[in-house]
Amino acid sequence: MVMSRIALAVVLLLLPACAASTAEPAEPAAPAPEGQNARLDVSNRSSYDMDVFAIRSGQRIRLGTAPGGETSRFTLSPGIITGGGSVYFE
């Protein structure tokens, strides 16, 4: 359930940065099995490379770069997603 909320938040936050708005919405991701880190898949439909950040408690954590026209996968450390509060992606 948490992974599907994270995936939905990512899609909603990254849509304005994407060039195409006609894509079908992504299916919610299944929860990560016990002992595995959560992943973030970013589909960059723009022709520009984009830096991806996780924002938690006002702290900006750089996850990496999503090259233009490609899908990138980032592994989220437990420190980013555990505990109370919200995590936003930019």
Side-chain angles (χ1 to χ4, degrees):
M1 188 81 173
V2 173
M3 289 301 297
S4 64
R5 288 183 182 171
I6 291 172
L8 179 61
V10 169
V11 169
L12 292 177
L13 290 173
L14 292 179
L15 272 178
C18 297
S21 62
T22 59
E24 295 179 20
E27 292 183 23
E34 195 69 33
Q36 290 187 356
N37 290 336
R39 294 184 320 241
L40 172 68
D41 292 334
V42 176
S43 180
N44 184 0
R45 296 191 183 126
S46 171
S47 58
Y48 299 105
D49 294 349
M50 303 219 177
D51 289 328
V52 180
F53 295 90
I55 301 171
R56 180 183 168 113
S57 302
Q59 182 181 6
R60 212 169 157 203
I61 304 160
R62 185 175 184 276
L63 300 176
T65 300
E70 295 183 21
T71 298
S72 302
R73 177 173 285 172
F74 302 98
T75 301
L76 303 175
S77 68
I80 293 175
I81 59 171
T82 56
S86 298
V87 179
Y88 302 95
F89 298 97
E90 180 179 272

